[in-house]
Amino acid sequence: MREMKKAEERRNEILDAADELFAEKGFDGTSTSAILEKVGIARGTLYYHFKSKEDIMDALIERYTSTMLAKAKTVAADKNIAVNERILRVVMALNVQNEHGGQQIMEHVHKPQNALMHRKIQQVIINQVPPILTAIIREGIEQGIYHTPYPYECMEMIIAYTNTIFDDDLVLMSEEERAARIPAFIFNVERMLGVESGSLLYMMKMFGNEGESDQQ
């Protein structure tokens, strides 16, 4: 057990060091030698845990995904937060770019040679996020805020849409086209959930400056 713990600690030390270096220098600008130096280990120790720099990035992505899903579930379970605000916080918790080193991870994932990695992340989001949001929607239905007989299906459609249409790799669009789709998306979400028109405009915050500027 002690050896297993030591191996896990060493693995996390490597990931932490790589995370900092990727954020500072970028994935391509970081060498395995730099990671070795930062952790203070021999090359053989690194290769015991990871076959390559790409394997380190894969493990970082898995760690980010697990951490963010855990954060999202914690927020979703906090009934002291109003349902509308909770939905927004869950979605924001799932944005890897908000995390340290997140921008470098997303740039790496969106490279053509990393299409499989990108697909794995999409599968995690499409399969694991709708149940988290559905629990909040059901609360909203009980409170008379939302009116839909299909809470899970609504969340599935919403996540599938945002995970494909707003993905730069899958749908090419200008910033103007993207900005135009955001209010249209929110309009249709309001229809699906059976709420008053304009009541979900707070969701503009999910899309950053584009949504906020469109709202003003």
Side-chain angles (χ1 to χ4, degrees):
M1 287 294 292
R2 183 177 298 175
E3 290 301 317
M4 286 177 61
K5 185 177 180 181
K6 284 177 65 177
E8 186 65 23
E9 287 174 355
R10 179 64 77 194
R11 187 175 189 274
N12 282 321
E13 284 177 6
I14 295 169
L15 290 176
D16 291 341
D19 197 8
E20 286 187 32
L21 289 169
F22 291 163
E24 180 185 340
K25 300 180 179 181
F27 177 79
D28 293 331
T30 300
S31 65
T32 53
S33 296
I35 298 172
L36 293 173
E37 184 178 343
K38 190 169 184 65
V39 184
I41 57 174
R43 190 169 296 274
T45 304
L46 175 68
Y47 290 143
Y48 173 79
H49 295 281
F50 303 101
K51 294 178 182 177
S52 64
K53 191 171 68 168
E54 286 72 19
D55 276 356
I56 295 174
M57 178 58 89
D58 285 353
L60 272 176
I61 290 170
E62 185 177 340
R63 189 167 76 167
Y64 270 110
T65 302
S66 298
T67 299
M68 285 185 292
L69 283 171
K71 284 182 184 177
K73 288 176 182 177
T74 299
V75 172
D78 189 349
K79 297 193 177 184
N80 292 318
I81 305 172
V83 290
N84 280 352
E85 180 65 21
R86 227 184 306 164
I87 290 173
L88 181 60
R89 291 194 191 185
V90 165
V91 174
M92 298 301 284
L94 293 165
N95 188 351
V96 69
Q97 295 189 71
N98 291 337
E99 302 293 324
H100 174 74
Q103 185 62 41
Q104 285 298 325
I105 281 184
M106 293 315 297
E107 287 177 5
H108 180 71
V109 166
H110 283 98
K111 289 180 179 178
Q113 64 267 34
N114 296 325
L116 180 59
M117 189 189 303
H118 188 189
R119 182 184 172 192
K120 286 179 181 177
I121 293 175
Q122 286 186 311
Q123 284 178 326
V124 169
I125 293 172
I126 290 175
N127 284 287
Q128 298 193 41
V129 175
I132 297 173
L133 292 173
T134 299
I136 305 175
I137 297 300
R138 286 192 172 125
E139 279 186 54
I141 292 171
E142 290 174 4
Q143 295 173 22
I145 298 171
Y146 307 128
H147 305 86
T148 174
Y150 304 110
Y152 180 85
E153 289 78 4
C154 284
M155 292 302 99
E156 190 175 52
M157 290 177 190
I158 289 167
I159 294 301
Y161 183 90
T162 56
N163 202 41
T164 53
I165 301 302
F166 291 117
D167 188 310
D168 294 338
D169 279 0
L170 297 174
V171 179
L172 300 177
M173 66 177 82
S174 66
E175 289 301 317
E176 291 76 18
E177 289 170 328
R178 175 185 169 86
R181 277 170 170 77
I182 293 169
F185 167 72
I186 293 173
F187 175 88
N188 284 295
V189 171
E190 289 172 344
R191 304 287 81 71
M192 281 196 286
L193 294 178
V195 300
E196 185 179 349
S197 180
S199 63
L200 298 184
L201 284 176
Y202 72 92
M203 291 175 69
M204 289 284 191
K205 296 178 186 176
M206 289 166 44
F207 300 95
N209 294 332
E210 297 95 336
E212 290 171 4
S213 61
D214 191 79
Q215 185 180 14
Q216 292 171 351

